[in-house]
Amino acid sequence: GAHFIACRNMDSAGNGQPSTYIACNQFLLAPYPHGGDPEIDGDPSKAPDIVNNSWGCPPSEGCDVNVLRASFAALRTAGILGVASAGNYGASCSSVIDPPSIYDETFVVGATNSTNVLASFSSRGPVTIDGSGRLRPDVAAPGVGVRSSVPGGGYQSFSGTSMAGPHTAGAAALLWSAKPQVRGLIRITRCLISQSARPIVQLS
């Protein structure tokens, strides 16, 4: 019974910029019709419960460590769980380097393979680029050889933390469906998912 909405924050080549990422977060806080005015036509009652962010904004797209923080803080304040992929810069430590995966405001996901081993490409913490030393990722999920639908019909397999993030967003949706009393309670939801995860003791 889940519903899905999307906001395109990149061009056809897969490149975005701070303004497009922030505009999509604004849309998700209060969706509005195509061509509408977000200040007048935005409707918070249509906002999603969970936002999956299988992307990162590197300096080459104009992002610095703080440029998107306020927009993700706004999502969290609104009771929207922001899930973010850790990135594919592993396997060195401190390879979680781009917004939004560096933020405390996001729930960050690394990638595992079919034997529940952390994928070699999956970025790891701690986050040092902003001086926080924040531990990352928060959890890991399947991200190697994941079968997915593709434009035009059909299916293909892909690898990356971008495939792991949606698994965690889906797990959160199932949790909120089963336990609606924790819907919108971001800190408790993150704790429940993290504490129910199994520790990974072997790295690929």
Side-chain angles (χ1 to χ4, degrees), residues 40 66 73 75 77 87 92 106 108 111 113-116 154 158 171 178 194:
I40 299 173
N66 291 312
L75 291 178
T77 299
S92 298
T106 55
V108 179
N113 63 21
S114 59
T115 60
N116 287 327
F158 300 94
S194 295

Side-chain angles (χ1 to χ4, degrees), residues 146-166:
V146 177
R147 190 166 171 83
S148 178
S149 59
V150 294
Y155 296 86
Q156 294 180 18
S157 293
F158 300 94
S159 296
T161 57
S162 289
M163 306 307 291

